[in-house]
Amino acid sequence: MTHASPTPLSIAVLGIGMMGFPMARRLCEAGHRVFAWNRSRPKADRLQPFGAEVSDTPAQAVALADIVICLLEDGSIVESVLFEQGTTGGLRPGTLVIDMSSIQPRQARDHAARLAAIGVSHLDAPVSGGTVGAEAGTLAIMAGGKPADFERALPVFEHLGRATHVGPHGAGQLAKLANQMIVGITIGAVAEALLLCEKGGADMGKVKQAISGGFADSRILQVHGQRMIERDFAKRGAVAVQLKDMRNALTTASEIGFEAPITALFEQLFAQAADHGLADLDHSALFMELASRNGMR
């Protein structure tokens, strides 16, 4: 149950998609004044029954906001919305912009510096937990920026999930990349192991049951492993998005002089899965790419 905030804030939410809608709805239900903007307005209009005020432009949405939350597709779209569509002109000095999109750390640092130049604070605070976590308010929130700005954001974060301040500007995005690296690589490990068992004559479902609770257990084994067993690859987190995350991780690794051979291998595997028509399936569909290599599809 979301409780009303003792001091309601004015919050603009830019991007009312699969994540933005449930997160903005929770902020409405908590008693905050929410200004919603989305490129296609009907998606934002869905928030009106919950009390949100829908804006025609991002600049209009941020004009009265204490806090601005971005939930946009990638770094180039965040850049366009913030700096090319008049939004900065609508921001008041002292506003806090919380970018909860998943973008490159370098982009987050650049945005923070450009906003600081006009007296606007910034946190990069990407999330993990998907639409289920967004609806339940149980997201893992990884925040980069100044400690004082993180403290200021806590009354917002408390309605969305569990927030951790992980370092300076860009560090939130680094933590998100770490999360996505572990997710993508572990999906591959689970898929390859289960397929080996099936090829050798064992029951995949029974193998999953046998190793549950042991050292190899994980959320990925339980959730994605079950999807593999059931051949249920309806999109929750897409192969295409996982591939984007692996590429962002490799770009960042290159920028800081870090060698990431495991991530590089999985970037190739997810790229091949996308090339073979799996891009819009769930990222657990890497299983299908590995199955087809072994004549098991």
Side-chain angles (χ1 to χ4, degrees):
M1 180 72 186
T2 304
H3 301 288
S5 172
T7 52
L9 296 163
S10 293
I11 304 169
V13 181
L14 309 180
I16 312 297
M18 288 177 67
M19 297 293 285
F21 176 75
M23 291 166 75
R25 188 189 69 215
R26 288 188 65 84
L27 294 172
C28 290
E29 290 170 344
H32 296 296
R33 186 181 183 188
V34 174
F35 301 91
W37 172 83
N38 195 71
R39 185 177 52 183
S40 51
R41 185 181 166 119
K43 288 187 175 180
D45 286 338
R46 297 176 298 157
L47 286 167
Q48 285 183 318
F50 301 98
E53 300 171 51
V54 178
S55 304
D56 288 319
T57 66
Q60 182 186 340
V62 305
L64 296 174
D66 306 306
I67 290 177
V68 175
I69 294 174
C70 299
L71 284 156
L72 301 163
E73 192 172 337
D74 58 37
S76 63
I77 294 174
V78 173
E79 174 138 353
S80 172
V81 170
L82 284 181
F83 301 107
E84 296 164 16
Q85 297 185 33
T87 306
T88 46
L91 288 167
R92 296 178 297 171
T95 302
L96 172 60
V97 172
I98 307 173
D99 186 5
M100 303 186 83
S101 320
S102 292
I103 69 174
Q104 292 182 30
R106 171 182 52 77
Q107 293 172 315
R109 291 191 297 271
D110 175 60
H111 297 169
R114 289 159 73 181
L115 290 171
I118 59 168
V120 172
S121 300
H122 178 277
L123 289 174
D124 52 290
V127 301
S128 179
T131 53
V132 173
E135 286 159 8
T138 57
L139 293 167
I141 305 167
M142 303 150 252
K146 294 179 179 176
D149 292 326
F150 177 74
E151 292 295 322
R152 187 176 159 196
L154 286 175
V156 174
F157 290 154
E158 70 177 359
H159 302 295
L160 305 178
R162 177 182 56 83
T164 306
H165 183 240
V166 294
H169 295 298
Q173 298 296 347
L174 274 173
K176 175 62 188 253
L177 289 178
N179 183 86
Q180 297 308 92
M181 288 162 71
I182 292 168
V183 168
I185 291 164
T186 309
I187 284 172
V190 169
E192 194 163 277
L194 290 179
L195 282 163
L196 173 74
C197 291
E198 182 168 271
K199 184 84 166 181
D203 181 313
M204 285 199 308
K206 294 294 187 185
V207 170
K208 173 179 169 284
Q209 185 181 328
I211 63 179
S212 292
F215 216 43
D217 202 358
S218 66
R219 286 283 303 281
I220 300 290
L221 176 68
Q222 294 303 323
V223 176
H224 295 78
Q226 192 60 36
R227 292 176 192 173
M228 294 170 192
I229 290 161
E230 295 173 0
R231 304 293 207 273
D232 171 17
F233 301 117
K235 181 171 69 174
R236 288 86 160 182
V239 164
V241 175
Q242 184 70 58
L243 177 58
K244 178 201 80 170
D245 292 333
M246 294 314 222
R247 287 177 170 165
N248 281 344
L250 289 174
T251 298
T252 299
S254 176
E255 287 169 0
I256 63 176
F258 179 79
E259 188 180 349
I262 300 171
T263 303
L265 171 62
F266 277 87
E267 184 273 334
Q268 292 175 25
L269 293 171
F270 279 105
Q272 286 157 11
D275 288 345
H276 297 153
L278 306 177
D280 289 326
L281 296 181
D282 189 76
H283 47 178
S284 57
L286 183 63
F287 177 92
M288 299 298 286
E289 172 65 24
L290 297 172
S292 66
R293 286 173 175 235
N294 286 287
M296 298 168 66
R297 195 158 173 180

